Amino acid sequence: MATKQPVTSEQQEQIEHETRLRNGALLMALSGVAFVGYGVVFLFMNFVGSGFELGVETVGGFTKAELDPTVAHYISHLHVATAAFIISTGIAVTSLSWFGVRQRLTWAWATAIVAAVVGLVLALPMHYTPGAFEHDWITHLGPIYLATVVFVVGAVLAYLGMRS
C-alpha cells in the first residue's frame, strides 16, 4: 500500500500544475482580450466620443472641435495608430497565451510577457510627466492597470504550472 501513496501524490501534484497552467493561460488570454477592448474603446472615443482618449475631455481646455483642424486631424491619426497597436498587441498576447502557453511552450509565455511589458513600459511613463495634459486617472489608466494585474497573476500561475 505504501507504493501507491507516492503515485497518488505525484498525480495530485500533476493535477495542481495543470490547473495552474490552465488558469494562468486563461488569465493571460483574458488580459489580452481586455487590451483589445481598450483599443476598440480608443477608436470609438476618437470617432464618436470626445475625439480624445478615454478619460480625456479636453486638451489645454480645448475640445477637439475647438482645435485647429490640422492639429485635430493629426491627433486623430495618432489615436487610430495607437489603437491599432494596442489591439494588435492584445491579439498577440491572447493568441500566445491561449494557444502557446497552454501547450507549455516557454517561448510563447516569454513572448506574451515581452509584448505586454514593452508596450506598458514605453507608454505609461508619459502619463506621469509634469505639465502633461489633464486626464481622469481612473478611466484613463484604470482599465490597463486592472488588465495588467490580471496578466501578471496569470503569468505567475502559468509559470508555476509549466514547471512540472
Side-chain angles (χ1 to χ4, degrees):
M1 189 153 237
T3 58
K4 290 186 181 183
Q5 190 76 13
V7 172
T8 304
S9 177
E10 288 176 17
Q11 289 173 341
Q12 182 62 31
E13 186 176 323
Q14 184 62 29
I15 290 169
E16 288 175 13
H17 282 288
E18 291 299 325
T19 301
R20 285 184 186 130
L21 177 64
R22 184 183 67 246
N23 291 341
L26 176 63
L27 289 175
M28 290 173 72
L30 286 174
S31 297
V33 170
F35 296 155
V36 171
Y38 187 78
V40 168
V41 169
F42 219 93
L43 283 176
F44 178 82
M45 293 299 294
N46 182 68
F47 293 115
V48 181
S50 68
F52 299 122
E53 303 170 52
L54 185 64
V56 178
E57 296 301 319
T58 64
V59 173
F62 295 99
T63 66
K64 185 177 177 185
E66 296 170 330
L67 293 174
D68 177 280
T70 305
V71 172
H73 182 74
Y74 182 69
I75 290 170
S76 180
H77 163 80
L78 291 176
H79 283 159
V80 170
T82 302
F85 282 105
I86 293 169
I87 291 168
S88 62
T89 300
I91 291 169
V93 166
T94 301
S95 299
L96 288 163
S97 300
W98 190 248
F99 297 108
V101 174
R102 287 189 318 141
Q103 297 297 316
R104 296 182 182 279
L105 300 175
T106 306
W107 67 265
W109 178 83
T111 304
I113 290 172
V114 169
V117 168
V118 167
L120 293 167
V121 165
L122 292 176
L124 290 179
M126 275 305 278
H127 294 86
Y128 299 99
T129 55
F133 62 93
E134 289 185 29
H135 54 284
D136 180 334
W137 291 93
I138 293 175
T139 58
H140 185 68
L141 294 175
I144 288 299
Y145 281 138
L146 178 61
T148 301
V149 168
V150 172
F151 180 79
V152 168
V153 169
V156 169
L157 281 174
Y159 175 77
L160 293 172
M162 294 172 79
R163 289 183 38 213
S164 66

